[in-house]
Amino acid sequence: MKRIALLVAPALCLSIPLLAGDDSATQDPAKKSPGYDDTPVLPGQEWRVHDSKRPQPPKVAAAKVVGGAPSDAVVLLGGNDLSMWQRGNGDAAVWKLEDGIMEVNGTGSIRTRDEFGDCQLHVEWATPADSDGDSQGMGNSGVFLMGLYEIQVLDSHSNVSYADGSAGAIYGQYPPDVNASRAPGEWQVYDIVFTAPRFDDEGKRISAARFTVMHNGVLIHNNREILGPTTHRNLPPKGGTAVKGPVSLQDHGNPVRYRNIWIRPL
Ligand code: MG
């Protein structure tokens, strides 16, 4: 049984099980579960502190490589297969695809066939290594949640555009907290946690959509409540009452590349 040591306080070491491929959390039914049945009940929960009857979390095998899809993810782009993607009219997506790398080619934005609401999304992307554009014309693409809410993809390493349209921006609403951009041509990563909006039975919005986003491992939006669907040169329009929608990738006319895209519905 593999264990790692975690120093949590001076002179106090805990030993915790490794997640992937480790069965140490499996309980022997003949053995009493570790924990207590005489501790206080946690406020707002049905469980006691360290409750011995509290179910163990489900196991997920982490990927063998950093950034790889864990065992419970839906792989949206993991090889030479575009079957998860379609064009706006429902036809098969025809973006260039080679060696697991998909490239915008002027045939229009694409979206997933499946729809998602609350989710964790991992996307790797690269803007062109050489481009003679500027501002919004330099490596422009975008990752849309529910087809409505864009996290901007742009070359923002040395290219300047309006702040709420730079790489990692919630387009037209919030710039990223910091600019964590790599140079054009280099692979970059978005790890996005998205909370879909909620509506009551009459269609009135109870809570807005929220984004937490890491760009190349750097936090750029922390549980940020957004105003509504993202749009160009205008205030957010009403977004209907959908709580699920496709992930879509924008064709903005620049040959931006994508690879290793996976999603975990939450
Ligand atoms: Mg864009």
Side-chain angles (χ1 to χ4, degrees):
M1 184 167 60
K2 285 186 288 184
R3 288 182 173 267
I4 58 172
L6 178 68
L7 188 63
V8 295
L12 172 64
C13 269
L14 280 183
S15 180
I16 60 169
L18 284 172
L19 192 68
D22 180 15
D23 61 357
S24 59
T26 306
Q27 299 298 319
D28 177 351
K31 267 187 168 171
K32 185 181 181 305
S33 297
Y36 299 83
D37 56 13
D38 60 354
T39 43
V41 174
L42 290 158
Q45 299 189 29
E46 59 181 298
W47 307 107
R48 297 177 181 280
V49 177
H50 314 313
D51 199 318
S52 63
K53 297 183 190 66
R54 194 165 194 167
Q56 298 292 329
K59 286 195 165 193
V60 171
K64 295 212 184 319
V65 294
V66 173
S71 61
D72 64 346
V74 177
V75 175
L76 299 177
L77 178 64
N80 286 322
D81 176 17
L82 276 184
S83 63
M84 299 296 279
W85 300 88
Q86 60 185 346
R87 304 174 75 171
N89 63 5
D91 289 349
V94 288
W95 281 13
K96 186 175 160 189
L97 179 66
E98 205 173 290
D99 299 329
I101 297 171
M102 185 164 72
E103 185 176 308
V104 176
N105 63 356
T107 58
S109 301
I110 61 173
R111 56 186 163 91
T112 54
R113 295 185 184 279
D114 293 335
E115 298 197 330
F116 306 93
D118 297 355
C119 63
Q120 173 190 353
L121 176 65
H122 176 95
V123 180
E124 299 181 17
W125 55 274
T127 59
D130 42 36
S131 167
D132 54 6
D134 67 354
S135 185
Q136 291 289 298
M138 205 150 173
N140 194 336
S141 181
V143 179
F144 287 72
L145 276 294
M146 292 181 56
L148 294 172
Y149 310 105
E150 181 183 15
I151 302 297
Q152 173 73 312
V153 166
L154 195 75
D155 170 11
S156 291
H157 182 258
S158 49
N159 169 48
V160 177
S161 188
Y162 41 84
D164 67 9
S166 61
I170 298 167
Y171 188 77
Q173 296 182 27
Y174 295 102
D177 288 342
V178 294
N179 181 352
S181 294
R182 291 187 177 135
E186 291 185 20
W187 284 104
Q188 310 200 47
V189 184
Y190 284 156
D191 284 294
I192 299 169
V193 178
F194 174 73
T195 304
R198 303 287 195 270
F199 302 90
D200 67 14
D201 292 343
E202 275 81 51
K204 184 167 173 291
R205 195 175 74 183
I206 302 166
S207 59
R210 289 177 170 272
F211 273 111
T212 295
V213 181
M214 311 274 271
H215 181 190
N216 298 327
V218 179
L219 184 67
I220 58 170
H221 299 289
N222 186 7
N223 196 26
R224 180 156 276 146
E225 181 177 308
I226 67 169
L227 303 172
T230 54
T231 189
H232 181 54
R233 294 192 64 176
N234 219 329
L235 293 173
K238 291 214 180 310
T241 56
V243 292
K244 275 187 171 188
V247 173
S248 56
L249 300 175
Q250 185 182 48
D251 183 341
H252 203 279
N254 301 144
V256 172
R257 294 174 294 154
Y258 289 93
R259 70 179 185 189
N260 189 25
I261 304 177
W262 50 262
I263 192 166
R264 295 180 63 239
L266 301 176

